[in-house]
Amino acid sequence: MLLNYIKIFIYHLKQNKLFSFLNIFGLAIGISGLIFALLYWNDEQSYDAWNPEKDNVHQVLIELTGMPVFSDCALFLKPILDKDANVEKIVYADSWYQKDKIIYKGKKEIVDKIINVEADFFSLFPFEIIKGNAVSALKDDSSAVISDVIAKRVFGDENPIGKQITCLDQMFVVRAVYHIPGNSSIAPDVVMNKMKELTSGNTTSPFVLKLLLKVKDPSKIENTRKSLERMYNGDFIKRIAKEAGFTPEVMAKKIGHFNVVIEPLSEARLHSIADGYPEGRGNYQFLLIMVGLSVLILILSIVNYINLATANAVKRAKEVGVRKVVGASRSTIVIQFIFETALISLFSILLALVIVELTLPYYNDFLNKSLRIIGSQFYLQLILIFCITVLVAGILPAVYVANFETLKVLKGNFGRSKNGIWLRNGMLIFQFTVATFFIVGSYIVYQQIDYLTNKDLGFKGDQVIEINLNFPNSDYEVENVGQNIYNKYSTIKQELAKIKGVEQASTGLISFDGSDDSLGGVLYNDELFKARTIAVDFGMFEMMKIEVVKGRSLDQKHASDTITSVVINETAQKLMNMKEPIGKELIIKQRKLKIIGVVKDFNLLSPEVEVSGMYFYHLKTVDIAQNINKVFVKLKSDNIENTIADIETLWTKVDTEYPFKYDFVDKQYARTYEAYVKQKNLFSLLNVVVISIALFGLFALASFSIQRRMKEIAIRKTLGAETNTLLKELSKQYILYCIIGFLIALFPVYYLLNLWLENFAFRIDITVSPFILGFLILLVLTLTIVLSRAYQATKTDVLKYLKYE
């Protein structure tokens, strides 16, 4: 019997090559989209899944009123935690990676991920120890632990244990080698313990280092959280109030309320409220959008398959009737058609895997990942997709065919029956609805990204490059380190000015890539404002074309501009309710500064965030020039490539240890909304896929529908009906379905896209134009398909369909 089913399947496959291809290809597109989404989903969900302590390890985050969430905590929390019976391990660590070189026997290797942690780190992140001992690996500040990848690069086949390496201008002994079993929120190349010098002092600051806890019972973590919160809002507030000469109540009002959040490691990747771990957070919204749209497209593919299958059933009506006459039961016929669906689904999955394998490199570039089609979990999911597809796509057409009335189909009257037409029309309306959602939605997303791309940012960074500065540690081990670093930077600036094609150079403790969202305190009229305080060099505003709307900019002609001057932005002026800000005094970092100018607002963070108050002063004003780590260079528009090449030649003398690296400032800022650009590209790609699948279904359904009405068309033509009249009659129902599908999609697309736009502080308003354009595109595509098929039908020889009447 099975062999007979296969023979029948192959026969109909040959008889209906086009529609069989549309069926298989449509399902393959839907399945491949879901496979892509599953690969991404599995990768993001796999973070820290290997870690047996993931539910017991927690990070402590601090929210202060009016400030971003801090992933660094105070050192004065440790005595409280030491007394907490539920806390098993306390580990302070850096929340970022350092970059440096490892030197071994004269060989140098650049390492991007060096992390500084306390000794119990491996009890929280139990990486697989290949060599050495994890317990004693970080026993002192001269010990280092390296990954197996770095061990191979530095030592080759040599045993690294006990070997001395130089890193961060210090000698270390390699105590252990580890392997990271899977994706991890902390995935360093080198782990070292230089925390003693950091934790021995600075016990008064509320934000110092990342704090990780390993607890015995996660259900009791709320008690720990409350005790830490009391410490911040009680003892800490009282102490600084006493130092400042205020009452605790007044100081609490000035500073705001501290809210402590303790998050488990198991939720850190996708559900954390801050970028607390060095590997950052995943984009949960993008992940849900991708999975949701992929599932929707698979449903559309299945609906398309059902539509084609039920329409094609007209051709197989007599076959079913004859089989029933010779004794076939309904269940036998149902099994046969489900079996055929299983074969088509199997071919579709195989084709989908080929599509995924061929396009996976582009997908990885799109996500900046290294996904691969491996893993038992993925294959189980693939089997589940196969079973669901077969059941959903196979049962309805099989039952529909099995219910044919034997006598009616054998008499040849089935072609005039309305059985199943409403089902197919309903599914066609669903296809129009989904297509409308994607067409209108992709246009709105395009409008928003285009708005961000062309929005006046308040600065011009298209011809400005940022170059990393890496001064040796010896430059920081002298007296008056700030002046020393500033002098070295000034020398580099002078050398840059000599290069033909360099228009200007400056620097500042400022980032245009959205990475720095830190806020500081500014005191004005005894009121504390939380804002961004940024140190810059002379010429920074002019180079970046930042407009001064009141007063003047920082100018080296004025000696006071390195001592008592500050420039604010428009938002800061509004926050402090200043009508005439010039000459007003502020207190920043315990220094009295006088406002000399106001600059136009510009955004340093992503478009999701409102512009905050900003206060700019010279690097020497608060003596923090030792933090200079980059230089900005404005290039002339002609021969930019040659200019960069000349700068690189200079850099071989400036920095002999690290390769020359630069980045254009406008591209840096563009990366702050890169995730949304990816969403736009994804929407555009899926839009093409959805429209293609919908048109496949419309083409097939229109073909079958018109084929059923060929005798009617022939009779009408014989009676003198004009071609235009016939075309109108054949297409009007599809125009009606198009309108119904469009109307159904209106609310979902408006609601969901408006919800998406709420991510942005700078956004467009949804107007009627995307909906009008979407409807016109859908209508034109529908008419193109239907009219082309209808016109072809009106040109058919009428005698072919009337000679048997």
Side-chain angles (χ1 to χ4, degrees), residues 584-600:
K584 296 291 194 301
E585 279 194 347
L586 312 172
I587 297 178
I588 300 176
K589 297 185 184 298
Q590 289 79 49
R591 285 176 172 80
K592 288 185 178 180
L593 304 179
K594 188 175 291 184
I595 298 174
I596 62 168
V598 179
V599 295
K600 188 177 180 180

Side-chain angles (χ1 to χ4, degrees), residues 515-586:
S515 61
D516 183 11
D517 62 350
S518 60
L519 299 178
V522 176
L523 204 62
Y524 173 65
N525 286 343
D526 285 336
E527 186 176 354
L528 185 67
F529 294 89
K530 293 151 189 171
R532 301 201 65 187
T533 58
I534 302 171
V536 296
D537 191 21
F538 296 122
M540 192 68 189
F541 294 142
E542 291 77 11
M543 184 173 67
M544 301 303 301
K545 303 294 183 185
I546 297 170
E547 182 183 349
V548 179
V549 293
K550 288 183 182 178
R552 63 177 178 83
S553 177
L554 295 170
D555 193 333
Q556 57 187 350
K557 295 178 182 178
H558 299 270
S560 60
D561 283 5
T562 59
I563 304 171
T564 60
S565 298
V566 65
V567 175
I568 66 174
N569 70 343
E570 293 172 312
T571 298
Q573 180 184 346
K574 293 174 186 175
L575 288 173
M576 296 186 293
N577 197 22
M578 291 180 176
K579 292 183 179 179
E580 294 296 332
I582 307 302
K584 296 291 194 301
E585 279 194 347
L586 312 172

Side-chain angles (χ1 to χ4, degrees), residues 323-364:
R323 291 194 64 202
K324 281 189 173 184
V325 169
V326 297
S329 64
R330 286 181 58 203
S331 60
T332 304
I333 295 171
V334 167
I335 291 171
Q336 177 194 343
F337 279 86
I338 290 179
F339 175 74
E340 291 181 8
T341 302
L343 290 177
I344 290 176
S345 299
L346 182 60
F347 293 153
S348 299
I349 285 180
L350 293 175
L351 180 58
L353 288 172
V354 172
I355 293 171
V356 170
E357 188 66 38
L358 292 175
T359 56
L360 193 56
Y362 305 100
Y363 185 63
N364 281 327

Side-chain angles (χ1 to χ4, degrees), residues 24-25 27-36 38-39 344-361 372-375 378-383 385-386:
I24 294 172
F25 186 70
L27 272 179
I29 292 294
I31 293 170
S32 61
L34 189 56
I35 289 174
F36 278 129
L38 284 175
L39 291 173
I344 290 176
S345 299
L346 182 60
F347 293 153
S348 299
I349 285 180
L350 293 175
L351 180 58
L353 288 172
V354 172
I355 293 171
V356 170
E357 188 66 38
L358 292 175
T359 56
L360 193 56
R372 292 179 296 168
I373 306 178
I374 56 172
F378 169 73
Y379 291 116
L380 287 174
Q381 291 168 337
L382 200 60
I383 292 171
I385 292 172
F386 172 75

